[in-house]
PDB file of all heavy atoms in Angstrom:
ATOM      1  N   GLY T 120      -1.275   1.911   3.786  1.00 89.00           N
ATOM      2  CA  GLY T 120      -2.523   1.896   4.607  1.00 89.00           C
ATOM      3  C   GLY T 120      -2.857   3.280   5.165  1.00 89.00           C
ATOM      4  O   GLY T 120      -3.559   3.376   6.211  1.00 89.00           O
ATOM      5  N   GLY T 121      -2.414   4.338   4.558  1.00 89.00           N
ATOM      6  CA  GLY T 121      -2.757   5.635   5.032  1.00 89.00           C
ATOM      7  C   GLY T 121      -1.853   6.114   6.244  1.00 89.00           C
ATOM      8  O   GLY T 121      -2.083   7.205   6.805  1.00 89.00           O
ATOM      9  N   ALA T 122      -0.921   5.302   6.622  1.00 93.00           N
ATOM     10  CA  ALA T 122      -0.052   5.658   7.751  1.00 93.00           C
ATOM     11  C   ALA T 122       0.966   6.695   7.315  1.00 93.00           C
ATOM     12  O   ALA T 122       1.249   6.879   6.164  1.00 93.00           O
ATOM     13  CB  ALA T 122       0.696   4.425   8.284  1.00 93.00           C
ATOM     14  N   VAL T 123       1.547   7.384   8.328  1.00 94.00           N
ATOM     15  CA  VAL T 123       2.575   8.392   8.059  1.00 94.00           C
ATOM     16  C   VAL T 123       3.733   7.744   7.336  1.00 94.00           C
ATOM     17  O   VAL T 123       4.261   6.692   7.808  1.00 94.00           O
ATOM     18  CB  VAL T 123       3.034   9.071   9.367  1.00 94.00           C
ATOM     19  CG1 VAL T 123       4.187  10.039   9.080  1.00 94.00           C
ATOM     20  CG2 VAL T 123       1.916   9.829   9.995  1.00 94.00           C
ATOM     21  N   THR T 124       4.157   8.240   6.202  1.00 95.00           N
ATOM     22  CA  THR T 124       5.220   7.679   5.359  1.00 95.00           C
ATOM     23  C   THR T 124       6.229   8.729   5.013  1.00 95.00           C
ATOM     24  O   THR T 124       5.861   9.860   4.587  1.00 95.00           O
ATOM     25  CB  THR T 124       4.597   7.013   4.120  1.00 95.00           C
ATOM     26  OG1 THR T 124       3.676   5.991   4.485  1.00 95.00           O
ATOM     27  CG2 THR T 124       5.701   6.406   3.258  1.00 95.00           C
ATOM     28  N   GLU T 125       7.500   8.435   5.240  1.00 96.00           N
ATOM     29  CA  GLU T 125       8.567   9.304   4.836  1.00 96.00           C
ATOM     30  C   GLU T 125       8.984   8.980   3.382  1.00 96.00           C
ATOM     31  O   GLU T 125       9.271   7.816   3.130  1.00 96.00           O
ATOM     32  CB  GLU T 125       9.789   9.145   5.745  1.00 96.00           C
ATOM     33  CG  GLU T 125       9.489   9.386   7.235  1.00 96.00           C
ATOM     34  CD  GLU T 125      10.662   8.956   8.096  1.00 96.00           C
ATOM     35  OE1 GLU T 125      11.802   8.999   7.642  1.00 96.00           O
ATOM     36  OE2 GLU T 125      10.388   8.551   9.249  1.00 96.00           O
ATOM     37  N   LEU T 126       9.049   9.983   2.550  1.00 96.00           N
ATOM     38  CA  LEU T 126       9.496   9.767   1.143  1.00 96.00           C
ATOM     39  C   LEU T 126      10.832  10.422   0.913  1.00 96.00           C
ATOM     40  O   LEU T 126      11.080  11.560   1.295  1.00 96.00           O
ATOM     41  CB  LEU T 126       8.483  10.392   0.162  1.00 96.00           C
ATOM     42  CG  LEU T 126       7.109   9.722   0.049  1.00 96.00           C
ATOM     43  CD1 LEU T 126       6.264  10.474  -0.940  1.00 96.00           C
ATOM     44  CD2 LEU T 126       7.283   8.298  -0.404  1.00 96.00           C
ATOM     45  N   THR T 127      11.746   9.591   0.377  1.00 96.00           N
ATOM     46  CA  THR T 127      13.081  10.094  -0.024  1.00 96.00           C
ATOM     47  C   THR T 127      13.138   9.962  -1.570  1.00 96.00           C
ATOM     48  O   THR T 127      12.965   8.862  -2.110  1.00 96.00           O
ATOM     49  CB  THR T 127      14.207   9.255   0.593  1.00 96.00           C
ATOM     50  OG1 THR T 127      14.080   9.298   2.010  1.00 96.00           O
ATOM     51  CG2 THR T 127      15.584   9.772   0.203  1.00 96.00           C
ATOM     52  N   GLU T 128      13.430  11.076  -2.233  1.00 97.00           N
ATOM     53  CA  GLU T 128      13.574  11.090  -3.672  1.00 97.00           C
ATOM     54  C   GLU T 128      14.994  11.466  -4.024  1.00 97.00           C
ATOM     55  O   GLU T 128      15.549  12.387  -3.420  1.00 97.00           O
ATOM     56  CB  GLU T 128      12.566  12.001  -4.345  1.00 97.00           C
ATOM     57  CG  GLU T 128      11.121  11.607  -4.150  1.00 97.00           C
ATOM     58  CD  GLU T 128      10.126  12.493  -4.810  1.00 97.00           C
ATOM     59  OE1 GLU T 128      10.257  13.720  -4.736  1.00 97.00           O
ATOM     60  OE2 GLU T 128       9.193  11.943  -5.441  1.00 97.00           O
ATOM     61  N   LEU T 129      15.554  10.772  -5.007  1.00 97.00           N
ATOM     62  CA  LEU T 129      16.933  11.051  -5.427  1.00 97.00           C
ATOM     63  C   LEU T 129      17.124  10.617  -6.853  1.00 97.00           C
ATOM     64  O   LEU T 129      16.337   9.839  -7.416  1.00 97.00           O
ATOM     65  CB  LEU T 129      17.968  10.398  -4.490  1.00 97.00           C
ATOM     66  CG  LEU T 129      17.881   8.859  -4.395  1.00 97.00           C
ATOM     67  CD1 LEU T 129      18.854   8.191  -5.397  1.00 97.00           C
ATOM     68  CD2 LEU T 129      18.280   8.430  -2.999  1.00 97.00           C
ATOM     69  N   THR T 130      18.226  11.170  -7.468  1.00 98.00           N
ATOM     70  CA  THR T 130      18.623  10.726  -8.841  1.00 98.00           C
ATOM     71  C   THR T 130      19.939   9.970  -8.628  1.00 98.00           C
ATOM     72  O   THR T 130      20.889  10.487  -8.032  1.00 98.00           O
ATOM     73  CB  THR T 130      18.870  11.964  -9.710  1.00 98.00           C
ATOM     74  OG1 THR T 130      17.624  12.704  -9.798  1.00 98.00           O
ATOM     75  CG2 THR T 130      19.261  11.497 -11.127  1.00 98.00           C
ATOM     76  N   SER T 131      19.981   8.748  -9.171  1.00 97.00           N
ATOM     77  CA  SER T 131      21.155   7.926  -9.055  1.00 97.00           C
ATOM     78  C   SER T 131      22.264   8.446  -9.877  1.00 97.00           C
ATOM     79  O   SER T 131      22.055   9.295 -10.787  1.00 97.00           O
ATOM     80  CB  SER T 131      20.802   6.502  -9.441  1.00 97.00           C
ATOM     81  OG  SER T 131      20.830   6.367 -10.858  1.00 97.00           O
ATOM     82  N   ASP T 132      23.482   7.943  -9.629  1.00 96.00           N
ATOM     83  CA  ASP T 132      24.623   8.419 -10.460  1.00 96.00           C
ATOM     84  C   ASP T 132      24.521   7.866 -11.874  1.00 96.00           C
ATOM     85  O   ASP T 132      25.306   8.240 -12.767  1.00 96.00           O
ATOM     86  CB  ASP T 132      25.951   8.028  -9.815  1.00 96.00           C
ATOM     87  CG  ASP T 132      26.031   6.525  -9.433  1.00 96.00           C
ATOM     88  OD1 ASP T 132      25.256   5.725  -9.982  1.00 96.00           O
ATOM     89  OD2 ASP T 132      26.956   6.188  -8.637  1.00 96.00           O
ATOM     90  N   GLY T 133      23.562   6.953 -12.148  1.00 96.00           N
ATOM     91  CA  GLY T 133      23.269   6.501 -13.480  1.00 96.00           C
ATOM     92  C   GLY T 133      22.104   7.189 -14.124  1.00 96.00           C
ATOM     93  O   GLY T 133      21.643   6.763 -15.202  1.00 96.00           O
ATOM     94  N   GLY T 134      21.525   8.221 -13.488  1.00 97.00           N
ATOM     95  CA  GLY T 134      20.409   8.996 -14.079  1.00 97.00           C
ATOM     96  C   GLY T 134      19.076   8.403 -13.795  1.00 97.00           C
ATOM     97  O   GLY T 134      18.066   8.899 -14.377  1.00 97.00           O
ATOM     98  N   TRP T 135      18.938   7.445 -12.907  1.00 98.00           N
ATOM     99  CA  TRP T 135      17.629   6.894 -12.569  1.00 98.00           C
ATOM    100  C   TRP T 135      16.919   7.821 -11.551  1.00 98.00           C
ATOM    101  O   TRP T 135      17.503   8.388 -10.644  1.00 98.00           O
ATOM    102  CB  TRP T 135      17.809   5.539 -11.896  1.00 98.00           C
ATOM    103  CG  TRP T 135      18.056   4.387 -12.853  1.00 98.00           C
ATOM    104  CD1 TRP T 135      19.144   4.282 -13.677  1.00 98.00           C
ATOM    105  CD2 TRP T 135      17.234   3.236 -13.031  1.00 98.00           C
ATOM    106  NE1 TRP T 135      19.012   3.109 -14.377  1.00 98.00           N
ATOM    107  CE2 TRP T 135      17.887   2.467 -14.016  1.00 98.00           C
ATOM    108  CE3 TRP T 135      16.025   2.812 -12.546  1.00 98.00           C
ATOM    109  CZ2 TRP T 135      17.366   1.258 -14.467  1.00 98.00           C
ATOM    110  CZ3 TRP T 135      15.488   1.634 -12.955  1.00 98.00           C
ATOM    111  CH2 TRP T 135      16.132   0.860 -13.929  1.00 98.00           C
ATOM    112  N   GLN T 136      15.576   8.008 -11.738  1.00 98.00           N
ATOM    113  CA  GLN T 136      14.742   8.734 -10.815  1.00 98.00           C
ATOM    114  C   GLN T 136      14.233   7.722  -9.809  1.00 98.00           C
ATOM    115  O   GLN T 136      13.540   6.790 -10.114  1.00 98.00           O
ATOM    116  CB  GLN T 136      13.580   9.413 -11.518  1.00 98.00           C
ATOM    117  CG  GLN T 136      14.039  10.380 -12.603  1.00 98.00           C
ATOM    118  CD  GLN T 136      14.899  11.509 -12.034  1.00 98.00           C
ATOM    119  OE1 GLN T 136      14.578  12.099 -11.069  1.00 98.00           O
ATOM    120  NE2 GLN T 136      16.051  11.699 -12.707  1.00 98.00           N
ATOM    121  N   CYS T 137      14.562   7.937  -8.510  1.00 98.00           N
ATOM    122  CA  CYS T 137      14.283   6.984  -7.468  1.00 98.00           C
ATOM    123  C   CYS T 137      13.485   7.555  -6.299  1.00 98.00           C
ATOM    124  O   CYS T 137      13.592   8.696  -5.953  1.00 98.00           O
ATOM    125  CB  CYS T 137      15.605   6.431  -6.911  1.00 98.00           C
ATOM    126  SG  CYS T 137      16.784   5.846  -8.175  1.00 98.00           S
ATOM    127  N   MET T 138      12.658   6.664  -5.731  1.00 98.00           N
ATOM    128  CA  MET T 138      11.849   7.054  -4.566  1.00 98.00           C
ATOM    129  C   MET T 138      11.846   5.889  -3.592  1.00 98.00           C
ATOM    130  O   MET T 138      11.699   4.752  -3.943  1.00 98.00           O
ATOM    131  CB  MET T 138      10.412   7.359  -5.031  1.00 98.00           C
ATOM    132  CG  MET T 138       9.509   7.734  -3.883  1.00 98.00           C
ATOM    133  SD  MET T 138       7.882   8.389  -4.419  1.00 98.00           S
ATOM    134  CE  MET T 138       7.234   6.927  -5.258  1.00 98.00           C
ATOM    135  N   LEU T 139      12.078   6.218  -2.295  1.00 98.00           N
ATOM    136  CA  LEU T 139      12.005   5.252  -1.226  1.00 98.00           C
ATOM    137  C   LEU T 139      10.952   5.689  -0.227  1.00 98.00           C
ATOM    138  O   LEU T 139      11.025   6.833   0.245  1.00 98.00           O
ATOM    139  CB  LEU T 139      13.382   5.174  -0.548  1.00 98.00           C
ATOM    140  CG  LEU T 139      13.494   4.307   0.743  1.00 98.00           C
ATOM    141  CD1 LEU T 139      13.217   2.856   0.446  1.00 98.00           C
ATOM    142  CD2 LEU T 139      14.906   4.473   1.368  1.00 98.00           C
ATOM    143  N   ALA T 140      10.042   4.814   0.064  1.00 98.00           N
ATOM    144  CA  ALA T 140       8.977   5.129   1.086  1.00 98.00           C
ATOM    145  C   ALA T 140       9.227   4.331   2.314  1.00 98.00           C
ATOM    146  O   ALA T 140       9.371   3.077   2.284  1.00 98.00           O
ATOM    147  CB  ALA T 140       7.592   4.766   0.473  1.00 98.00           C
ATOM    148  N   LEU T 141       9.254   5.000   3.455  1.00 97.00           N
ATOM    149  CA  LEU T 141       9.486   4.400   4.748  1.00 97.00           C
ATOM    150  C   LEU T 141       8.277   4.639   5.672  1.00 97.00           C
ATOM    151  O   LEU T 141       7.946   5.758   5.979  1.00 97.00           O
ATOM    152  CB  LEU T 141      10.739   4.962   5.394  1.00 97.00           C
ATOM    153  CG  LEU T 141      11.005   4.682   6.854  1.00 97.00           C
ATOM    154  CD1 LEU T 141      11.137   3.131   7.074  1.00 97.00           C
ATOM    155  CD2 LEU T 141      12.237   5.374   7.346  1.00 97.00           C
ATOM    156  N   THR T 142       7.590   3.518   6.009  1.00 96.00           N
ATOM    157  CA  THR T 142       6.420   3.577   6.877  1.00 96.00           C
ATOM    158  C   THR T 142       6.787   2.882   8.212  1.00 96.00           C
ATOM    159  O   THR T 142       6.665   1.634   8.322  1.00 96.00           O
ATOM    160  CB  THR T 142       5.180   2.940   6.249  1.00 96.00           C
ATOM    161  OG1 THR T 142       5.035   3.472   4.912  1.00 96.00           O
ATOM    162  CG2 THR T 142       3.960   3.166   7.050  1.00 96.00           C
ATOM    163  N   ARG T 143       7.210   3.589   9.178  1.00 94.00           N
ATOM    164  CA  ARG T 143       7.789   2.975  10.419  1.00 94.00           C
ATOM    165  C   ARG T 143       6.719   2.226  11.200  1.00 94.00           C
ATOM    166  O   ARG T 143       7.063   1.315  11.959  1.00 94.00           O
ATOM    167  CB  ARG T 143       8.470   4.029  11.272  1.00 94.00           C
ATOM    168  CG  ARG T 143       9.731   4.554  10.660  1.00 94.00           C
ATOM    169  CD  ARG T 143      10.554   5.299  11.694  1.00 94.00           C
ATOM    170  NE  ARG T 143      11.862   5.704  11.087  1.00 94.00           N
ATOM    171  CZ  ARG T 143      12.930   4.965  11.046  1.00 94.00           C
ATOM    172  NH1 ARG T 143      12.854   3.739  11.530  1.00 94.00           N
ATOM    173  NH2 ARG T 143      14.052   5.405  10.506  1.00 94.00           N
ATOM    174  N   SER T 144       5.527   2.624  11.147  1.00 93.00           N
ATOM    175  CA  SER T 144       4.445   1.939  11.942  1.00 93.00           C
ATOM    176  C   SER T 144       4.002   0.612  11.317  1.00 93.00           C
ATOM    177  O   SER T 144       3.252  -0.120  11.932  1.00 93.00           O
ATOM    178  CB  SER T 144       3.251   2.905  12.096  1.00 93.00           C
ATOM    179  OG  SER T 144       2.688   3.178  10.820  1.00 93.00           O
ATOM    180  N   SER T 145       4.457   0.285  10.079  1.00 91.00           N
ATOM    181  CA  SER T 145       4.001  -0.881   9.433  1.00 91.00           C
ATOM    182  C   SER T 145       4.900  -2.072   9.815  1.00 91.00           C
ATOM    183  O   SER T 145       6.112  -1.992   9.790  1.00 91.00           O
ATOM    184  CB  SER T 145       4.011  -0.765   7.924  1.00 91.00           C
ATOM    185  OG  SER T 145       3.767  -1.940   7.280  1.00 91.00           O
ATOM    186  N   VAL T 146       4.312  -3.191  10.198  1.00 89.00           N
ATOM    187  CA  VAL T 146       5.043  -4.402  10.430  1.00 89.00           C
ATOM    188  C   VAL T 146       4.776  -5.422   9.301  1.00 89.00           C
ATOM    189  O   VAL T 146       5.121  -6.615   9.424  1.00 89.00           O
ATOM    190  CB  VAL T 146       4.722  -5.065  11.757  1.00 89.00           C
ATOM    191  CG1 VAL T 146       5.220  -4.245  12.949  1.00 89.00           C
ATOM    192  CG2 VAL T 146       3.219  -5.380  11.897  1.00 89.00           C
ATOM    193  N   THR T 147       4.268  -4.924   8.183  1.00 89.00           N
ATOM    194  CA  THR T 147       4.056  -5.780   7.008  1.00 89.00           C
ATOM    195  C   THR T 147       4.953  -5.323   5.877  1.00 89.00           C
ATOM    196  O   THR T 147       5.834  -6.088   5.377  1.00 89.00           O
ATOM    197  CB  THR T 147       2.623  -5.785   6.556  1.00 89.00           C
ATOM    198  OG1 THR T 147       1.771  -6.069   7.657  1.00 89.00           O
ATOM    199  CG2 THR T 147       2.351  -6.800   5.478  1.00 89.00           C
ATOM    200  N   THR T 148       4.781  -4.081   5.405  1.00 93.00           N
ATOM    201  CA  THR T 148       5.622  -3.496   4.320  1.00 93.00           C
ATOM    202  C   THR T 148       6.178  -2.179   4.735  1.00 93.00           C
ATOM    203  O   THR T 148       5.683  -1.125   4.312  1.00 93.00           O
ATOM    204  CB  THR T 148       4.781  -3.384   3.062  1.00 93.00           C
ATOM    205  OG1 THR T 148       3.613  -2.637   3.326  1.00 93.00           O
ATOM    206  CG2 THR T 148       4.429  -4.734   2.493  1.00 93.00           C
TER     207      THR T 148
END
Side-chain angles (χ1 to χ4, degrees):
V123 174
T124 300
E125 302 170 29
L126 290 179
T127 301
E128 295 182 317
L129 59 93
T130 301
S131 78
D132 53 17
W135 282 63
Q136 300 303 309
C137 308
M138 180 171 62
L139 172 65
L141 169 60
T142 310
R143 290 197 175 274
S144 62
S145 174
V146 291
T147 309
T148 54

